[in-house]
Amino acid sequence: MPQDLREGLEQWGSPPEVMESLAQLRAERRSRIFPVAAAVIGLYLLNALLASMATDVMAIRLVGHLNVGLGLALLQCGTTLAVCRWYARYARTSLDPLVERSRAALGYRGEEK
């Protein structure tokens, strides 16, 4: 946990279990999100690099009017959609319980109207 966040929580008198649950939430999110984001960005950069450097390869026809370039672009769209769906499920099942535990430890009751 960053020092400034730890100092801020200690200033407000947050119990150690709150600090630990926030640290666990941060570690859980980072351990899954960064590798997946790196893979998606890598696929995008590969597609862009091939489009600019290997135009002959990207122009190879696969089926009908579908060539390698269009196939990779469609693959990029499909992987982006799949990652978005995966993250929504992952956040709902893994991150949301950690957030609720942290909120309960802090005494957060939601918005008051």
Side-chain angles (χ1 to χ4, degrees), residues 38-55:
V40 169
I41 291 170
L43 181 60
Y44 172 77
L45 291 175
L46 176 67
N47 193 5
L49 182 68
L50 286 173
S52 66
M53 303 297 267
T55 55

Side-chain angles (χ1 to χ4, degrees), residues 61-79:
R61 290 197 183 266
L62 297 175
V63 176
H65 293 292
L66 180 67
N67 60 16
V68 173
L70 184 57
L72 286 176
L74 292 173
L75 179 67
Q76 178 69 37
C77 291
T79 56

Side-chain angles (χ1 to χ4, degrees), residues 2-71:
Q3 187 64 27
D4 56 341
L5 179 59
R6 183 178 302 278
E7 290 171 0
L9 289 171
E10 288 172 354
Q11 175 186 357
W12 290 98
S14 297
E17 60 269 3
V18 172
M19 292 191 291
E20 291 304 317
S21 67
L22 289 175
Q24 182 183 7
L25 175 64
R26 183 180 183 145
E28 178 70 24
R29 186 179 64 91
R30 284 185 173 195
S31 70
R32 302 288 158 95
I33 300 306
F34 287 158
V36 172
V40 169
I41 291 170
L43 181 60
Y44 172 77
L45 291 175
L46 176 67
N47 193 5
L49 182 68
L50 286 173
S52 66
M53 303 297 267
T55 55
D56 293 338
V57 173
M58 298 295 269
I60 295 173
R61 290 197 183 266
L62 297 175
V63 176
H65 293 292
L66 180 67
N67 60 16
V68 173
L70 184 57

